[in-house]
Amino acid sequence: MGPHPAVAAIRLAVRRVLHDILVAHSAAPSAASSPSALPSLSPASSAPGPRGSAPRDDAPLVLAACSGGADSMALASALAFEAPRAGLRAGGVTVDHGLQQGSDVRAAEVTDRMRALGLAPVEAIAVSVGRSGGPEAAARDARYTALDAAAERHGAAAVLLGHTRDDQAETVLLGLARGSGTRSLSGMAWVSGAGGRYRRPFLQLDRHTVREACLAQSLPVWDDPHNVDPSYTRSRVRHEALPILEKALGKGVVEALARTAQLSRDDADALDAWAARAEADVMTTAPAAAGGAQAVHLDAVGLHGLPTAVRRRVLRRAAIAAGAPAGSLFARHIEEVDRLITGWRGQRAINLPGRVEVRREGGRLVIRQG
């Protein structure tokens, strides 16, 4: 008799990601002389393998980011099951944000649970959460900084994250509420981070499935009280906005939003690639002044002939290259700069975040730090 359907689902999702990691590792120059064997994706490969067969010490390491919640405990359990069968080492990391009393005790409990699953190495990392961008953004920044450091420290090939289809739907809805562009509506990528470090195996699985997988395996889980705290925007989306939408529009809203994310990502990737090619034709750079970023020159005539979506992407990339911080550069800034191309009437220079100035000089835009 096979595993519970929910357990089989999470294992298959992780197995597919591990296959991709092995393919990438085998293609890397350092692995070319001794390529790893690739695991089968047939149903039979989910059958338990020999418990005594441990991966080689030099096998690639994959880490699970685990908070102790149902999503990440399901992820850790699937990784612990699948990694040895794929010839990979599996470890785990939990991040203690220090935002709740007893968070250090909770982190210690999570590391014990990961070790009980057979993960090694296992590490708990305490971080200090700042205030930049609000509490949710600040905690996320601190968490990813810690995960990046852990991956570097342990030489991990990848870090798995437990985001589900429900998380993706929430992300898209938040982007819609902000009036964001296509890139923001594309939600979370399957693969992200430097060198494709972060992988999200569960983006096609719903939250109910991963929780059911934990119940079927008798895995203890921790429900973060912040997830039901209405002072957090995502919590309100999860417990108020999405249920209202499903009541008004019927079931399937979560699936539709997640599908929108993938369609938006495909479009955004194509537009970004077009903008990168166009940039080579219309942009030149000038040497940077002492201690500053390089000045960027753009051909105004060449820009004018581009579709709006492509042109504004080029303008954004140019502003960032000139020193504007990406996180502070919003659509309204780029729209103002765009008017120097499409509605030129001798306007004054435009100031952007990061002390960056955009000025039109004849047939070109000049973008530099003041």
Side-chain angles (χ1 to χ4, degrees):
M1 183 176 178
H4 186 282
V7 176
I10 64 169
R11 288 176 179 176
L12 178 59
V14 167
R15 190 184 320 144
R16 286 170 169 161
V17 167
L18 296 184
H19 179 271
D20 293 343
I21 293 169
L22 272 172
V23 169
H25 179 74
S26 299
S30 60
S33 59
S34 58
S36 302
L38 299 182
S40 168
L41 291 182
S42 65
S45 69
S46 64
R51 275 294 188 189
S53 56
R56 298 193 314 264
D57 290 342
D58 61 346
L61 171 66
V62 179
L63 298 174
C66 185
S67 67
D71 301 350
S72 59
M73 283 301 297
L75 178 68
S77 72
L79 178 62
F81 183 90
E82 292 291 342
R85 290 159 175 79
L88 294 165
R89 293 182 296 133
V93 179
T94 188
V95 178
D96 174 13
H97 298 85
L99 297 176
Q100 302 170 30
Q101 187 174 5
S103 62
D104 55 337
V105 176
R106 188 273 309 165
E109 291 173 349
V110 173
T111 57
D112 288 343
R113 291 171 188 172
M114 289 192 289
R115 289 191 186 97
L117 290 170
L119 298 181
V122 165
E123 183 179 8
I125 307 173
V127 298
S128 177
V129 177
R131 297 183 178 182
S132 177
E136 292 166 287
R140 182 173 58 251
D141 290 345
R143 180 166 60 254
Y144 279 104
T145 298
L147 292 174
D148 280 335
E152 294 288 343
R153 190 162 50 251
H154 294 291
V159 178
L160 305 190
L161 305 174
H163 298 116
T164 65
R165 186 170 62 193
D166 298 76
D167 296 309
Q168 186 75 298
E170 293 160 10
T171 301
V172 174
L173 202 54
L174 287 166
L176 284 169
R178 289 193 299 267
S180 301
T182 310
R183 176 57 66 191
S184 182
L185 297 184
S186 65
M188 295 174 286
W190 286 87
V191 180
S192 63
R197 168 174 291 160
Y198 294 107
R199 311 286 178 121
R200 296 176 173 87
F202 291 170
L203 282 184
Q204 286 188 329
L205 299 179
D206 59 66
R207 191 172 289 137
H208 173 75
T209 297
V210 296
R211 183 170 286 274
E212 195 173 10
C214 290
L215 290 172
Q217 299 177 94
S218 301
L219 294 176
V221 299
W222 173 70
D223 290 316
D224 186 350
H226 284 171
N227 289 337
V228 294
D229 185 346
S231 64
Y232 291 95
T233 306
R234 184 175 287 270
S235 175
R236 294 195 299 274
V237 168
R238 179 176 302 176
H239 298 289
E240 299 175 26
L242 274 173
I244 289 173
L245 283 174
E246 293 215 321
K247 183 177 180 180
L249 303 176
K251 294 293 183 182
V253 170
V254 168
E255 292 87 342
L257 288 170
R259 188 165 57 252
T260 295
Q262 185 56 56
L263 294 171
S264 298
R265 180 165 297 279
D266 293 342
D267 290 349
D269 288 346
L271 289 168
D272 286 347
W274 188 351
R277 293 192 298 270
E279 181 182 274
D281 296 330
V282 301
M283 188 172 91
T284 58
T285 58
Q294 61 188 356
V296 177
H297 297 171
L298 295 169
D299 173 18
V301 175
L303 280 171
H304 194 278
L306 294 172
T308 302
V310 178
R311 182 176 62 248
R312 289 181 177 177
R313 277 170 164 77
V314 173
L315 293 174
R316 177 179 173 81
R317 290 162 65 101
I320 293 170
S328 302
L329 201 57
F330 301 127
R332 58 183 173 83
H333 295 127
I334 303 304
E335 288 168 4
E336 289 179 19
V337 175
D338 194 32
R339 279 193 282 272
L340 296 180
I341 302 294
T342 61
W344 173 241
R345 300 183 306 278
Q347 300 99 306
R348 297 171 56 186
I350 294 171
N351 295 315
L352 299 178
R355 298 184 298 107
V356 170
E357 180 187 82
V358 186
R359 181 185 300 275
R360 179 151 178 174
E361 297 179 358
R364 67 179 184 176
L365 284 189
V366 178
I367 310 176
R368 63 163 63 93
Q369 279 188 322

Coordinates of all heavy atoms in Angstrom, one line a residue, residues 283-352:
M283 N 21.3 52.8 -25.2 CA 21.9 53.2 -24.0 C 23.5 53.2 -24.1 O 24.0 52.2 -24.6 CB 21.5 52.4 -22.8 CG 22.0 52.9 -21.5 SD 21.3 52.0 -20.0 CE 22.5 50.8 -19.8
T284 N 24.1 54.3 -23.6 CA 25.5 54.3 -23.5 C 25.8 54.8 -22.1 O 24.9 55.4 -21.4 CB 26.2 55.2 -24.5 OG1 25.7 56.5 -24.4 CG2 26.0 54.7 -25.9
T285 N 27.0 54.5 -21.6 CA 27.3 55.0 -20.2 C 28.6 55.8 -20.3 O 29.4 55.7 -21.2 CB 27.6 53.8 -19.3 OG1 28.6 52.9 -19.8 CG2 26.3 52.9 -19.1
A286 N 28.7 56.7 -19.3 CA 29.8 57.6 -19.2 C 30.5 57.2 -17.9 O 29.9 56.7 -16.9 CB 29.4 59.1 -19.2
P287 N 31.9 57.5 -17.8 CA 32.6 57.1 -16.6 C 32.0 57.8 -15.3 O 31.5 58.9 -15.4 CB 34.0 57.6 -16.8 CG 34.1 57.7 -18.3 CD 32.7 58.0 -18.8
A288 N 32.0 57.1 -14.2 CA 31.5 57.6 -13.0 C 32.4 58.7 -12.4 O 33.6 58.6 -12.5 CB 31.3 56.5 -12.0
A289 N 31.7 59.7 -11.8 CA 32.5 60.6 -11.0 C 33.0 60.0 -9.7 O 32.6 58.9 -9.4 CB 31.6 61.8 -10.6
A290 N 34.0 60.6 -9.1 CA 34.6 60.0 -7.9 C 33.5 59.7 -6.9 O 32.8 60.5 -6.4 CB 35.6 61.0 -7.3
G291 N 33.4 58.4 -6.5 CA 32.5 58.0 -5.4 C 31.1 57.8 -5.9 O 30.2 57.5 -5.1
G292 N 30.8 58.0 -7.2 CA 29.4 58.0 -7.6 C 29.2 56.9 -8.6 O 30.1 56.1 -9.0
A293 N 27.9 56.8 -9.0 CA 27.5 55.8 -10.0 C 27.8 56.3 -11.4 O 28.0 57.5 -11.6 CB 26.1 55.3 -9.9
Q294 N 27.8 55.5 -12.4 CA 28.0 55.9 -13.8 C 26.9 56.7 -14.3 O 25.7 56.5 -13.9 CB 28.2 54.7 -14.7 CG 27.0 53.8 -14.7 CD 27.3 52.5 -15.5 OE1 28.3 52.3 -16.0 NE2 26.3 51.6 -15.5
A295 N 27.2 57.7 -15.2 CA 26.1 58.4 -15.9 C 25.6 57.6 -17.0 O 26.3 56.9 -17.7 CB 26.6 59.8 -16.3
V296 N 24.3 57.7 -17.3 CA 23.7 56.9 -18.4 C 23.1 57.9 -19.4 O 22.4 58.8 -19.0 CB 22.6 56.0 -17.8 CG1 21.9 55.2 -18.9 CG2 23.1 55.0 -16.8
H297 N 23.4 57.6 -20.7 CA 22.8 58.4 -21.8 C 21.9 57.5 -22.6 O 22.3 56.4 -22.9 CB 24.0 58.9 -22.7 CG 24.9 59.9 -22.0 ND1 26.1 60.3 -22.5 CD2 24.8 60.5 -20.7 CE1 26.7 61.2 -21.7 NE2 25.9 61.3 -20.6
L298 N 20.7 58.0 -22.9 CA 19.7 57.3 -23.7 C 19.3 58.1 -24.9 O 19.1 59.3 -24.9 CB 18.5 57.0 -22.8 CG 18.7 56.1 -21.6 CD1 17.4 56.1 -20.7 CD2 19.0 54.7 -22.1
D299 N 19.2 57.4 -26.1 CA 18.8 58.0 -27.3 C 17.3 58.2 -27.3 O 16.5 57.2 -27.3 CB 19.2 57.0 -28.5 CG 18.6 57.5 -29.8 OD1 18.3 58.7 -29.9 OD2 18.6 56.7 -30.7
A300 N 16.8 59.4 -27.2 CA 15.4 59.7 -27.1 C 14.6 59.3 -28.3 O 13.5 58.8 -28.1 CB 15.2 61.2 -26.8
V301 N 15.2 59.4 -29.5 CA 14.4 59.0 -30.7 C 14.3 57.5 -30.7 O 13.2 57.0 -31.0 CB 15.2 59.5 -31.9 CG1 14.5 59.0 -33.2 CG2 15.3 61.0 -32.0
G302 N 15.3 56.8 -30.4 CA 15.2 55.3 -30.4 C 14.2 54.9 -29.3 O 13.4 53.9 -29.6
L303 N 14.2 55.5 -28.2 CA 13.2 55.1 -27.1 C 11.8 55.4 -27.6 O 10.9 54.6 -27.3 CB 13.5 55.9 -25.8 CG 14.7 55.4 -25.0 CD1 15.0 56.4 -23.9 CD2 14.3 54.1 -24.3
H304 N 11.6 56.5 -28.3 CA 10.2 56.9 -28.6 C 9.6 55.9 -29.5 O 8.3 55.7 -29.5 CB 10.2 58.3 -29.4 CG 8.9 58.9 -29.5 ND1 8.0 58.6 -30.5 CD2 8.3 59.8 -28.7 CE1 6.9 59.3 -30.4 NE2 7.0 60.1 -29.3
G305 N 10.4 55.1 -30.3 CA 9.8 54.1 -31.2 C 9.5 52.8 -30.6 O 8.9 51.9 -31.2
L306 N 9.8 52.7 -29.3 CA 9.5 51.4 -28.6 C 8.1 51.4 -28.0 O 7.6 52.4 -27.6 CB 10.6 51.2 -27.4 CG 12.0 51.0 -27.8 CD1 12.9 51.0 -26.6 CD2 12.2 49.7 -28.6
P307 N 7.5 50.2 -27.9 CA 6.2 50.1 -27.1 C 6.4 50.6 -25.7 O 7.5 50.5 -25.1 CB 5.9 48.6 -27.2 CG 6.7 48.1 -28.3 CD 8.0 48.9 -28.4
T308 N 5.3 51.2 -25.2 CA 5.4 51.8 -23.8 C 6.0 50.8 -22.8 O 6.8 51.2 -22.0 CB 4.0 52.3 -23.4 OG1 3.5 53.2 -24.4 CG2 4.0 52.9 -22.0
A309 N 5.5 49.6 -22.7 CA 5.9 48.6 -21.7 C 7.4 48.4 -21.8 O 8.1 48.2 -20.8 CB 5.1 47.3 -21.8
V310 N 7.9 48.3 -23.0 CA 9.4 48.1 -23.2 C 10.2 49.3 -22.9 O 11.2 49.3 -22.2 CB 9.7 47.6 -24.7 CG1 11.2 47.4 -24.9 CG2 8.9 46.3 -25.0
R311 N 9.7 50.5 -23.4 CA 10.4 51.7 -23.1 C 10.6 52.0 -21.6 O 11.6 52.4 -21.2 CB 9.7 52.9 -23.8 CG 10.4 54.2 -23.7 CD 9.7 55.3 -24.5 NE 8.3 55.5 -24.0 CZ 7.2 55.2 -24.7 NH1 7.3 54.7 -25.9 NH2 6.0 55.5 -24.2
R312 N 9.5 51.8 -20.9 CA 9.5 52.1 -19.4 C 10.4 51.1 -18.7 O 11.0 51.5 -17.7 CB 8.1 52.1 -18.9 CG 7.4 53.4 -19.4 CD 6.0 53.5 -18.8 NE 5.3 54.7 -19.2 CZ 4.0 55.0 -18.9 NH1 3.3 54.2 -18.2 NH2 3.5 56.1 -19.3
R313 N 10.5 49.9 -19.2 CA 11.5 49.0 -18.6 C 12.9 49.4 -18.8 O 13.8 49.3 -17.9 CB 11.3 47.6 -19.2 CG 10.1 46.8 -18.5 CD 9.8 45.5 -19.3 NE 9.0 44.6 -18.5 CZ 7.7 44.7 -18.2 NH1 7.1 45.7 -18.8 NH2 7.1 43.8 -17.5
V314 N 13.2 49.9 -20.0 CA 14.5 50.4 -20.3 C 14.8 51.6 -19.4 O 15.9 51.7 -18.8 CB 14.7 50.8 -21.8 CG1 16.0 51.5 -22.0 CG2 14.5 49.6 -22.7
L315 N 13.9 52.5 -19.2 CA 14.1 53.7 -18.4 C 14.3 53.3 -16.9 O 15.2 53.9 -16.3 CB 12.8 54.6 -18.4 CG 12.6 55.3 -19.8 CD1 11.3 56.1 -19.8 CD2 13.7 56.2 -20.1
R316 N 13.6 52.3 -16.4 CA 13.8 51.8 -15.1 C 15.2 51.2 -14.9 O 15.9 51.5 -13.9 CB 12.7 50.8 -14.7 CG 12.9 50.2 -13.3 CD 11.8 49.2 -13.0 NE 12.1 48.6 -11.7 CZ 11.9 49.1 -10.5 NH1 11.3 50.3 -10.4 NH2 12.2 48.4 -9.4
R317 N 15.6 50.4 -15.8 CA 16.9 49.8 -15.8 C 18.0 50.8 -15.8 O 19.0 50.8 -15.1 CB 17.1 48.8 -16.9 CG 16.2 47.5 -16.8 CD 16.1 46.8 -18.1 NE 17.4 46.3 -18.6 CZ 17.8 45.0 -18.5 NH1 16.9 44.2 -17.9 NH2 18.9 44.6 -19.0
A318 N 17.8 51.9 -16.6 CA 18.8 52.9 -16.7 C 18.9 53.7 -15.4 O 20.0 54.1 -15.0 CB 18.5 53.9 -17.9
A319 N 17.8 54.0 -14.8 CA 17.8 54.8 -13.6 C 18.5 54.0 -12.5 O 19.2 54.6 -11.7 CB 16.3 55.1 -13.1
I320 N 18.3 52.7 -12.4 CA 18.9 51.8 -11.4 C 20.4 51.8 -11.7 O 21.2 51.9 -10.8 CB 18.3 50.4 -11.4 CG1 16.9 50.5 -10.9 CG2 19.2 49.5 -10.6 CD1 16.1 49.2 -11.1
A321 N 20.8 51.7 -13.0 CA 22.2 51.7 -13.3 C 22.9 53.0 -12.9 O 24.1 53.0 -12.6 CB 22.4 51.5 -14.8
A322 N 22.1 54.1 -12.9 CA 22.7 55.4 -12.5 C 22.7 55.6 -11.0 O 23.2 56.7 -10.6 CB 21.9 56.5 -13.2
G323 N 22.2 54.7 -10.3 CA 22.3 54.8 -8.8 C 21.0 54.9 -8.0 O 21.0 55.0 -6.8
A324 N 19.8 54.9 -8.7 CA 18.5 54.9 -8.0 C 18.3 53.6 -7.4 O 18.4 52.5 -8.0 CB 17.4 55.3 -9.0
P325 N 17.9 53.5 -6.1 CA 17.6 52.3 -5.4 C 16.3 51.6 -6.0 O 15.3 52.3 -6.0 CB 17.4 52.6 -4.0 CG 17.1 54.1 -3.9 CD 17.8 54.7 -5.2
A326 N 16.4 50.4 -6.4 CA 15.3 49.7 -7.1 C 14.0 49.7 -6.2 O 12.9 49.9 -6.7 CB 15.7 48.3 -7.4
G327 N 14.2 49.5 -4.9 CA 13.1 49.4 -4.0 C 12.3 50.7 -3.8 O 11.2 50.7 -3.3
S328 N 13.0 51.8 -4.1 CA 12.3 53.1 -3.9 C 11.9 53.7 -5.3 O 11.4 54.9 -5.3 CB 13.3 54.1 -3.3 OG 13.7 53.6 -2.0
L329 N 12.0 53.0 -6.3 CA 11.7 53.5 -7.7 C 10.3 53.0 -8.1 O 10.1 51.8 -8.3 CB 12.8 53.1 -8.7 CG 12.9 53.8 -10.0 CD1 13.2 55.3 -9.7 CD2 14.0 53.2 -10.8
F330 N 9.3 53.8 -8.1 CA 7.9 53.4 -8.3 C 7.5 53.8 -9.7 O 8.1 54.6 -10.4 CB 7.0 54.0 -7.3 CG 7.4 53.6 -5.9 CD1 7.6 54.6 -4.9 CD2 7.6 52.3 -5.5 CE1 7.9 54.3 -3.6 CE2 7.9 52.0 -4.2 CZ 8.1 53.0 -3.3
A331 N 6.3 53.3 -10.1 CA 5.7 53.5 -11.4 C 5.6 55.0 -11.7 O 5.9 55.5 -12.8 CB 4.4 52.8 -11.6
R332 N 5.2 55.8 -10.7 CA 5.0 57.2 -11.0 C 6.3 57.9 -11.3 O 6.3 58.9 -12.1 CB 4.4 57.9 -9.7 CG 5.2 57.8 -8.5 CD 4.4 58.4 -7.3 NE 5.1 58.1 -6.0 CZ 6.2 58.8 -5.5 NH1 6.6 59.8 -6.3 NH2 6.7 58.5 -4.4
H333 N 7.4 57.5 -10.8 CA 8.7 58.0 -11.1 C 9.0 57.8 -12.6 O 9.4 58.7 -13.4 CB 9.8 57.4 -10.3 CG 9.7 57.7 -8.8 ND1 9.8 56.8 -7.9 CD2 9.6 58.9 -8.2 CE1 9.7 57.3 -6.7 NE2 9.6 58.6 -6.8
I334 N 8.8 56.5 -13.0 CA 9.1 56.2 -14.4 C 8.2 56.9 -15.4 O 8.6 57.3 -16.5 CB 9.1 54.6 -14.6 CG1 10.0 54.0 -13.6 CG2 9.4 54.2 -16.0 CD1 11.5 54.4 -13.7
E335 N 6.9 57.1 -15.0 CA 6.0 57.8 -15.9 C 6.4 59.2 -16.1 O 6.3 59.8 -17.2 CB 4.6 57.7 -15.2 CG 3.9 56.4 -15.3 CD 2.7 56.3 -14.4 OE1 2.3 57.3 -13.8 OE2 2.1 55.2 -14.3
E336 N 6.9 59.8 -15.0 CA 7.4 61.2 -15.2 C 8.6 61.3 -16.1 O 8.7 62.2 -17.0 CB 7.8 61.8 -13.8 CG 6.7 62.1 -12.9 CD 7.1 62.6 -11.5 OE1 8.3 63.1 -11.4 OE2 6.4 62.5 -10.5
V337 N 9.5 60.3 -16.0 CA 10.7 60.3 -16.9 C 10.2 60.0 -18.3 O 10.7 60.6 -19.3 CB 11.7 59.2 -16.4 CG1 12.8 59.1 -17.4 CG2 12.2 59.5 -15.0
D338 N 9.2 59.1 -18.5 CA 8.7 58.8 -19.8 C 8.2 60.0 -20.5 O 8.3 60.1 -21.7 CB 7.7 57.7 -19.6 CG 7.3 57.0 -21.0 OD1 8.2 56.9 -21.8 OD2 6.2 56.6 -21.2
R339 N 7.6 61.0 -19.8 CA 7.1 62.2 -20.4 C 8.2 63.0 -21.0 O 7.9 63.8 -21.9 CB 6.3 63.0 -19.4 CG 4.9 62.4 -19.2 CD 4.0 63.4 -18.5 NE 4.3 63.4 -17.0 CZ 3.7 62.6 -16.2 NH1 2.8 61.7 -16.6 NH2 4.0 62.6 -14.9
L340 N 9.4 62.9 -20.6 CA 10.5 63.5 -21.3 C 10.8 63.0 -22.7 O 11.4 63.6 -23.5 CB 11.8 63.4 -20.4 CG 11.8 64.0 -19.0 CD1 13.2 63.8 -18.3 CD2 11.5 65.5 -19.1
I341 N 10.3 61.8 -22.9 CA 10.4 61.2 -24.2 C 9.1 61.4 -25.1 O 9.2 61.9 -26.2 CB 10.6 59.7 -24.1 CG1 11.8 59.3 -23.3 CG2 10.6 59.0 -25.5 CD1 13.1 59.8 -23.9
T342 N 8.0 61.2 -24.5 CA 6.7 61.2 -25.2 C 6.0 62.6 -25.2 O 5.2 62.8 -26.1 CB 5.7 60.1 -24.7 OG1 5.4 60.4 -23.3 CG2 6.3 58.7 -24.8
G343 N 6.3 63.4 -24.3 CA 5.6 64.7 -24.2 C 6.6 65.8 -23.9 O 6.4 66.7 -23.0
W344 N 7.7 65.8 -24.7 CA 8.8 66.8 -24.5 C 8.4 68.2 -24.9 O 8.0 68.5 -26.0 CB 10.0 66.4 -25.2 CG 11.2 67.4 -25.2 CD1 11.7 68.0 -26.3 CD2 11.9 67.8 -24.1 NE1 12.7 68.8 -25.9 CE2 12.8 68.8 -24.6 CE3 11.8 67.6 -22.7 CZ2 13.7 69.4 -23.7 CZ3 12.6 68.3 -21.9 CH2 13.6 69.2 -22.4
R345 N 8.4 69.1 -23.9 CA 8.0 70.5 -24.1 C 9.0 71.4 -23.4 O 8.7 72.5 -23.0 CB 6.6 70.8 -23.5 CG 5.5 70.0 -24.2 CD 4.2 70.4 -23.6 NE 4.1 70.3 -22.1 CZ 4.0 69.2 -21.4 NH1 3.8 68.0 -22.0 NH2 3.9 69.2 -20.1
G346 N 10.3 70.9 -23.2 CA 11.3 71.7 -22.5 C 11.2 71.7 -21.0 O 11.6 72.6 -20.4
Q347 N 10.7 70.6 -20.5 CA 10.5 70.5 -19.0 C 11.8 70.5 -18.3 O 12.9 70.3 -18.8 CB 9.8 69.2 -18.6 CG 8.4 69.0 -19.2 CD 8.4 68.1 -20.5 OE1 9.2 68.4 -21.4 NE2 7.6 67.1 -20.5
R348 N 11.7 70.8 -17.0 CA 12.9 70.8 -16.1 C 13.3 69.4 -15.8 O 12.6 68.4 -16.1 CB 12.6 71.6 -14.8 CG 12.2 73.0 -15.0 CD 11.7 73.6 -13.7 NE 12.6 73.5 -12.6 CZ 12.4 73.8 -11.3 NH1 11.2 74.3 -11.0 NH2 13.3 73.7 -10.4
A349 N 14.5 69.3 -15.2 CA 15.0 67.9 -14.9 C 14.1 67.3 -13.8 O 13.4 68.0 -13.1 CB 16.4 68.1 -14.3
I350 N 14.1 66.0 -13.8 CA 13.3 65.2 -12.8 C 14.2 64.6 -11.8 O 15.2 64.0 -12.1 CB 12.5 64.1 -13.5 CG1 11.4 64.8 -14.4 CG2 11.8 63.2 -12.6 CD1 10.7 63.8 -15.4
N351 N 13.8 64.7 -10.5 CA 14.6 64.1 -9.5 C 14.0 62.8 -9.1 O 12.8 62.6 -8.8 CB 14.7 65.0 -8.2 CG 15.4 66.3 -8.5 OD1 16.5 66.3 -9.2 ND2 14.8 67.4 -8.1
L352 N 14.9 61.7 -9.0 CA 14.5 60.4 -8.6 C 15.2 60.0 -7.3 O 16.1 60.7 -6.8 CB 15.0 59.4 -9.7 CG 14.4 59.6 -11.1 CD1 14.9 58.5 -12.0 CD2 12.9 59.5 -11.0

